[in-house]
């Protein structure tokens, strides 16, 4: 799908035609907020370029099936910024959780604050309400708040965790419920009609369990093309967009990426925007000595595969 630059537009002949619950063509927010920020630039959670109709369909499939949407793709391909923009367009809440090697399976639902409980015990001030020692995680909050508003929950970089973590999500996401940790007779539940959309990202650094994959809607994002970069620049820069400069910076990025042994390790869309905004504000353009420095600090960043002889 290729909506017009404002996010509006009419369906084209090459569109996939189906009943959409999530439809980014309805998103016209950027057209009215182009100059809201002091610097005239939009944030990542304010705009997203949905120029791949397959991705839009994948979001809708996840919504209709109630399955998590698992996103693969190189760093900077837009995996993490998808969730807040889907939430914005749907008018839902957005919650996020960044997975680390220390993440425990229950952290997405709750976290036991052992230190606080120990301190209270030593001070003879233990609370009778065990809930104070169990801060709620993003899934608990999304389930609990569903009557007021549904949520999009981002679980970012799940491949960084122990392999047990993905499988631990099967029960709460499959049954839409989980037990209260201090009272197994009670459960936190949500109805299918109010369930959150769960978006999970992976950098493919570790193979995910097959049972988990079978219960996800899976989509792989590609490294950005030149036209995609230009659409992103138009959305983020609004009235400050400079077509000539944007094409020059995009060309420099793609040329650099093509020289790498691993193109996926090349500069991201966010780095493209950094270089473009800096060049625009500093008056630095490709082909000048100043640009060589800007490119080195904003795009190259000492990536090991860079060929200095090129």
């Amino acid at each position: 799908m290729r909506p017009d630059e404002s996010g509006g537009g009419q369906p084209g002949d090459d569109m996939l035609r189906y009943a959409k619950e999530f439809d980014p063509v309805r998103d016209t927010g950027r057209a009215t907020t182009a100059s809201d920020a002091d610097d005239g630039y939009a944030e990542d959670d304010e705009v997203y370029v949905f120029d791949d109709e397959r991705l839009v369909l994948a979001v809708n499939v996840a919504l209709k099936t109630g399955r998590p949407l698992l996103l693969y793709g190189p760093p900077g391909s837009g995996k993490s910024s998808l969730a807040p923009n889907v939430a914005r367009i749907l008018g839902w809440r957005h919650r996020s959780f960044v997975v680390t090697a220390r993440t425990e399976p229950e952290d997405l639902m709750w976290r036991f604050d052992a230190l606080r409980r120990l301190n209270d015990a030593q001070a003879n001030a233990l609370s009778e309400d065990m809930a104070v020692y169990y801060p709620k995680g993003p899934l608990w909050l999304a389930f609990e708040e569903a009557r007021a508003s549904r949520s999009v929950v981002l679980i970012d970089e799940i491949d960084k965790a122990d392999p047990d973590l993905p499988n631990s999500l099967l029960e709460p996401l499959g049954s839409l419920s989980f037990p209260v940790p201090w009272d197994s007779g009670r459960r936190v539940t949500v109805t299918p009609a109010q369930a959150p959309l769960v978006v999970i990202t992976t950098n493919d650094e570790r193979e995910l369990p097959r049972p988990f994959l079978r219960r996800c809607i899976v989509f792989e994002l590609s490294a950005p093309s030149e036209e995609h970069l230009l659409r992103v620049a138009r959305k983020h820069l609004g009235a400050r967009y400079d077509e000539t400069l944007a094409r020059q910076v995009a060309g420099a990025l793609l040329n650099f990426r093509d020289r790498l042994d691993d193109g996926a390790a090349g500069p991201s869309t966010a780095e493209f925007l950094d270089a473009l905004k800096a060049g625009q504000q500093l008056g630095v353009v490709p082909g000048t000595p100043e640009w060589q420095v800007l490119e080195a600090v904003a795009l190259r960043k000492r990536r090991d595969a860079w060929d200095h002889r090129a």
Side-chain angles (χ1 to χ4, degrees), residues 6-30:
S6 68
Q10 298 299 320
D13 293 337
D14 59 344
M15 274 186 70
L16 299 177
R17 302 178 184 278
Y18 58 96
K20 297 181 177 70
E21 178 177 355
F22 167 72
D23 187 358
V25 172
R26 300 172 188 159
D27 178 29
T28 58
R30 186 57 193 147

Side-chain angles (χ1 to χ4, degrees), residues 230-291:
L230 296 180
R231 292 188 187 99
V232 169
R234 292 187 193 104
K235 289 271 192 174
H236 276 265
L237 272 63
R240 300 186 65 174
Y241 175 72
D242 182 327
E243 176 83 15
T244 300
L245 180 59
R247 285 194 179 276
Q248 288 179 310
V249 177
L253 181 150
L254 296 176
N255 182 51
F256 172 45
R257 190 176 74 189
D258 290 344
R259 295 174 182 174
L260 296 175
D261 294 333
D262 178 11
S268 67
T269 303
E271 290 169 297
F272 161 71
L273 288 171
D274 287 342
L276 178 57
K277 292 173 185 177
Q280 183 184 64
Q281 295 184 66
L282 297 173
V284 175
V285 297
T288 63
E290 293 80 8
W291 171 258

Side-chain angles (χ1 to χ4, degrees), residues 194-216:
Q194 297 174 326
L197 169 64
V198 177
V199 178
I200 303 171
T201 74
T202 173
N203 289 321
D204 212 9
E205 295 177 359
R206 176 184 291 174
E207 186 175 356
L208 296 174
R210 292 186 179 181
F212 174 73
L213 291 174
R214 286 195 292 268
R215 289 166 175 81
C216 291

Side-chain angles (χ1 to χ4, degrees), residues 5-235:
E5 305 307 335
S6 68
Q10 298 299 320
D13 293 337
D14 59 344
M15 274 186 70
L16 299 177
R17 302 178 184 278
Y18 58 96
K20 297 181 177 70
E21 178 177 355
F22 167 72
D23 187 358
V25 172
R26 300 172 188 159
D27 178 29
T28 58
R30 186 57 193 147
T32 60
T33 60
S35 61
D36 286 353
D38 291 340
D39 60 6
Y41 301 134
E43 300 295 333
D44 286 346
D45 60 355
E46 293 179 323
V47 294
Y48 194 94
V49 176
F50 290 94
D51 54 1
D52 188 343
E53 176 64 15
R54 299 172 304 158
L55 175 58
V56 178
L57 177 56
V59 174
N60 279 284
V61 171
L63 284 167
K64 294 305 182 184
T65 59
R67 298 293 192 184
L69 175 61
L70 176 62
L71 298 175
Y72 286 83
S77 57
K79 300 186 299 296
S80 300
S81 55
L82 175 77
N85 281 281
V86 170
R88 176 178 54 81
I89 293 170
L90 289 172
W92 294 7
R93 285 191 176 96
H94 169 246
R95 296 197 173 277
S96 64
F97 185 93
V98 179
V99 174
T100 71
R102 297 180 180 180
T103 299
E104 298 292 336
E106 65 271 12
D107 288 347
L108 292 160
M109 292 166 281
W110 67 80
R111 181 177 58 83
F112 177 54
D113 193 342
L115 181 60
R116 178 177 179 180
R117 193 174 190 280
L118 176 62
N119 289 337
D120 285 357
Q122 292 176 336
N124 293 319
L126 275 175
S127 173
E128 295 182 359
D129 181 8
M130 286 297 294
V132 302
Y133 303 116
Y134 286 87
K136 298 172 182 177
L139 284 181
W140 189 325
L141 292 170
F143 283 17
E144 184 177 71
E145 298 166 347
R147 291 185 180 180
S149 174
R150 293 179 71 179
S151 299
V152 177
V153 177
L154 171 65
I155 302 174
D156 209 10
E157 300 187 345
I158 196 170
D159 50 321
K160 292 192 181 307
D162 186 274
D164 289 340
L165 188 139
N167 283 337
S168 72
L169 293 175
L170 297 179
E171 194 273 334
L173 295 183
S175 66
L176 297 180
S177 70
F178 54 87
V180 173
W182 63 88
D183 184 354
S184 59
R186 294 168 51 202
R187 299 186 70 85
V188 180
T189 63
V190 68
T191 66
Q194 297 174 326
L197 169 64
V198 177
V199 178
I200 303 171
T201 74
T202 173
N203 289 321
D204 212 9
E205 295 177 359
R206 176 184 291 174
E207 186 175 356
L208 296 174
R210 292 186 179 181
F212 174 73
L213 291 174
R214 286 195 292 268
R215 289 166 175 81
C216 291
I217 304 302
V218 179
F219 189 86
E220 183 170 4
L221 294 164
S222 302
S225 65
E226 180 181 37
E227 288 306 312
H228 180 81
L229 291 172
L230 296 180
R231 292 188 187 99
V232 169
R234 292 187 193 104
K235 289 271 192 174

